[in-house]
Amino acid sequence: MIKEFYEERTASMENRKKRAALHNLGCKVNAYETEAMKQLLEEHGYEIVSFEEEADVYLINTCSVTNMADRKSRQMLHRARKKNPHAVIVAAGCYVQSAGEEIVRSKDADLVIGNNQKARLPELLEPFFEEGSDREKTGGSHPADSFVIDIAHTSEYEEMALKKTAEHTRAFIKIQDGCNQFCSYCIIPYTRGRIRSRRPADVLSEVRRLSEAGYREVVLTGIHLSSYGKDLEEKISLLEIIRMVHQIPGIQRIRLGSLEPRIITEEFVKELSSMEKVCPHFHLSLQSGCDATLSRMNRHYTTEEYYDKCKLLRKYYEHPAITTDVIVGFPKETEEEFKDTLLFLRKARFYEMHIFKYSKRHGTKAASMSGQVPEETKTLRSHLALKLEAKLSEEFRYYYMGKTAEILLEEPHAFGKDVYITGFTREYVKAAVKLTKENKEKMLPGRLIKVKMTGVLGDGLLSAEWTP
């Protein structure tokens, strides 16, 4: 019966391309790598289909930053198996790096690929589709093939490049991997390894290629972007690679991924502000507004030092968007310490905040700390922080009411009976312009236009009028 099934399936596959479905979990770096793997599969003759369709290969690029991320990674592997029990299920990424042996034992995947091995995906899939191969390996009846290296002992940057992205006007470009910080709560140095920087020539080659393909905005991203270049033989700083990207024709906007506060110096901000393509949109990782908590987290700054960085950005930019991450319910966090955090968040006047409940990660220093905060307390604190986030975000956007700003047009959306085209300002405020007979031929994705903010359409979206 099984033999007949595989003979029939193999025969049907000879008349069509192999089909692959990919699902990404986690950060922008993961999203970049998922897109790169997708393009690698396309180059090797695969047809890319939706994860909801039947496929011959299902790949989940996993995340392990929190317990919830681990759970979602497992859920997606189970979901893929149910979609097609005879497909090759591929688990890749950070959850694999932290729990690869568990995945192999569980038989949740047929192929397990750790970080710094993702570029090998087409090669690693070949044995599953070779004529005469043991196709019964799929379906979870055998242990998975595992390709997981000791990520802590590699200095090699895994080169993966994009020719296009899922977005049509903005492209994320990974230029760095790994982290040496070892914050007491964080699993990432163990799943991503030590800092590794991409060669400048490869970065610039990809930016030029994307510019020629029509992309107008690039976002430079990495696991610990601020450390870019420190490991290269020919030392180069993040500021220098930004200068190089700034010189590439066609690129009109440059955004930066998450930055460590200590990189924000007078020299750094002054130089950035002289480059007109660099957007005044900065994600400065905070984690807590309480000095005692920051110390337990092994963060190497105080709230006063962090606030000085915010003031520097506001010295050189009129109304910069400063966004951040905040962890609530860290071990030993008292009510007073949490109140200190809320007070600091109000003082810093963030545009957006990503609020996380502390999640215990096995192997990190914080996991073994005493004073673990009850889950219901973390949930309450998260609710209060999110409520403040919504208020501060609304205040930031309200600043633009009645003002003129430049937006990069992206895609049309229907709101009620009308159709609008949306885009983001340089500060990453989303606005929408109503399409009319008079303007629709000029409202093209990838075009930069001046608009006047006129109202609110809902859910943080401002309405705007074109001002030609």
Side-chain angles (χ1 to χ4, degrees):
M1 184 76 175
I2 293 176
K3 182 180 178 182
E4 291 173 358
F5 171 83
Y6 282 114
E7 287 176 350
E8 181 181 340
R9 185 168 175 77
T10 301
S12 68
M13 286 183 63
E14 290 176 355
N15 300 319
R16 65 167 175 81
K17 289 183 176 181
K18 295 185 289 292
R19 293 154 64 92
L22 296 86
H23 183 82
N24 182 70
L25 294 166
C27 65
K28 296 298 184 183
V29 170
N30 249 26
Y32 175 95
E33 292 170 348
T34 300
E35 193 69 27
M37 287 188 284
K38 172 184 171 183
Q39 290 177 35
L40 279 172
L41 290 175
E42 287 177 322
E43 290 166 8
H44 282 77
Y46 286 79
E47 176 189 354
I48 305 301
V49 299
S50 161
F51 206 83
E52 300 307 314
E53 297 181 52
E54 183 175 332
D56 304 296
V57 175
Y58 290 93
L59 183 146
I60 294 87
N61 198 13
T62 63
C63 178
S64 192
V65 71
T66 64
N67 289 325
M68 180 60 74
D70 283 355
R71 190 177 305 120
K72 286 182 178 178
S73 297
R74 292 191 295 269
Q75 288 172 346
M76 290 308 300
L77 290 170
H78 297 159
R79 183 174 166 191
R81 184 72 78 196
K82 288 180 180 178
K83 285 283 179 187
N84 181 1
H86 305 289
V88 180
I89 310 300
V90 184
C94 290
Y95 178 56
V96 165
Q97 204 67 46
S98 66
E101 292 182 6
E102 178 185 328
I103 297 172
V104 170
R105 286 195 303 270
S106 70
K107 300 181 183 179
D108 286 340
D110 304 301
L111 179 58
V112 175
I113 305 175
N115 288 323
N116 258 45
Q117 297 289 291
K118 294 175 182 177
R120 298 179 60 195
L121 175 63
E123 163 205 340
L124 299 179
L125 279 171
E126 281 180 11
F128 291 92
F129 297 103
E130 288 175 351
E131 187 175 352
S133 67
D134 181 11
R135 295 298 307 285
E136 291 182 50
K137 185 164 191 169
T138 58
S141 57
H142 289 257
D145 285 351
S146 181
F147 299 87
V148 182
I149 65 169
D150 182 355
I151 200 73
H153 293 92
T154 183
S155 58
E156 178 186 354
Y157 179 90
E158 182 179 35
E159 179 60 27
M160 301 175 80
L162 297 182
K163 296 178 181 177
K164 58 183 179 178
T165 75
E167 297 190 53
H168 301 298
T169 57
R170 180 185 305 108
F172 286 84
I173 299 176
K174 179 188 170 188
I175 70 171
Q176 187 276 336
D177 206 338
C179 181
N180 294 356
Q181 296 299 103
F182 288 93
C183 299
S184 63
Y185 53 82
C186 189
I187 195 69
I188 298 305
Y190 304 97
T191 62
R192 282 283 178 175
R194 308 301 174 263
I195 60 169
R196 305 182 300 284
S197 301
R198 191 176 184 185
R199 293 190 311 130
D202 293 331
V203 174
L204 299 177
S205 176
E206 182 169 344
V207 175
R208 290 190 191 99
R209 188 164 57 246
L210 290 166
S211 174
E212 290 166 3
Y215 293 90
R216 294 294 164 254
E217 182 177 306
V218 293
V219 185
L220 304 182
T221 189
I223 296 299
H224 193 259
L225 187 63
S226 300
S227 66
Y228 176 80
K230 291 181 179 179
D231 59 311
L232 296 175
E233 287 186 17
E234 293 186 19
K235 291 294 184 284
I236 178 175
S237 68
L238 177 61
L239 192 57
E240 288 172 298
I241 194 68
I242 296 169
R243 285 196 200 103
M244 294 176 184
V245 172
H246 193 270
Q247 294 169 7
I248 295 177
I251 297 300
Q252 295 174 292
R253 288 181 173 183
I254 301 170
R255 294 189 194 274
L256 304 176
S258 180
L259 299 173
E260 279 294 311
R262 288 172 295 173
I263 201 173
I264 305 297
T265 63
E266 185 101 25
E267 177 191 4
F268 184 83
V269 182
K270 184 177 181 180
E271 180 68 19
L272 283 185
S273 67
S274 72
M275 292 185 270
E276 69 277 2
K277 293 181 183 179
V278 176
C279 294
H281 174 207
F282 304 98
H283 189 88
L284 295 189
S285 183
L286 172 64
Q287 307 305 355
S288 176
C290 167
D291 288 338
T293 307
L294 286 174
S295 178
R296 293 196 301 277
M297 289 177 165
N298 196 33
R299 302 291 290 177
H300 303 288
Y301 51 81
T302 65
T303 52
E304 182 180 359
E305 289 167 340
Y306 185 101
Y307 189 64
D308 285 342
K309 309 302 184 180
C310 295
K311 288 193 292 186
L312 259 179
L313 291 170
R314 288 170 177 142
K315 174 181 175 181
Y316 285 93
Y317 293 98
E318 180 184 348
H319 192 242
I322 304 175
T323 62
T324 199
D325 302 311
V326 179
I327 296 173
V328 300
F330 190 73
K332 298 184 181 179
E333 183 186 62
T334 64
E335 283 297 324
E336 197 60 39
E337 288 179 341
F338 177 64
K339 288 177 182 176
D340 287 345
T341 289
L342 291 182
L343 288 171
F344 185 79
L345 299 181
R346 289 191 187 95
K347 177 182 176 182
R349 306 194 318 277
F350 293 108
Y351 167 34
E352 290 180 337
M353 299 184 290
H354 300 150
I355 309 297
F356 300 92
K357 293 188 289 184
Y358 168 70
S359 180
K360 187 189 293 188
R361 311 307 292 135
H362 178 71
T364 63
K365 187 175 180 180
S368 59
M369 285 182 179
S370 61
Q372 297 288 327
V373 177
E375 193 63 31
E376 56 270 25
T377 302
K378 288 190 280 187
T379 298
L380 175 59
R381 290 177 185 175
S382 174
H383 173 75
L384 293 173
L386 285 168
K387 187 176 179 180
L388 176 60
E389 193 278 337
K391 182 176 184 295
L392 293 175
S393 186
E394 182 181 37
E395 288 174 0
F396 185 90
R397 290 191 299 271
Y398 188 78
Y399 168 88
Y400 292 97
M401 297 300 293
K403 290 184 170 61
T404 298
E406 178 188 75
I407 64 171
L408 177 62
L409 297 178
E410 294 194 350
E411 56 188 354
H413 286 281
F415 294 97
K417 296 180 180 179
D418 298 317
V419 177
Y420 290 73
I421 185 164
T422 60
F424 287 89
T425 70
R426 287 164 54 80
E427 297 81 8
Y428 212 64
V429 173
K430 193 173 186 179
V433 178
K434 184 178 177 180
L435 292 178
T436 65
K437 291 181 181 179
E438 293 74 26
N439 70 17
K440 67 178 181 179
E441 291 184 2
K442 297 179 180 179
M443 297 289 106
L444 301 175
R447 182 178 177 185
L448 286 161
I449 65 168
K450 293 283 187 181
V451 297
K452 182 178 181 180
M453 304 300 182
T454 57
V456 178
L457 281 174
D459 197 25
L461 181 65
L462 301 183
S463 60
E465 293 178 355
W466 181 37
T467 57

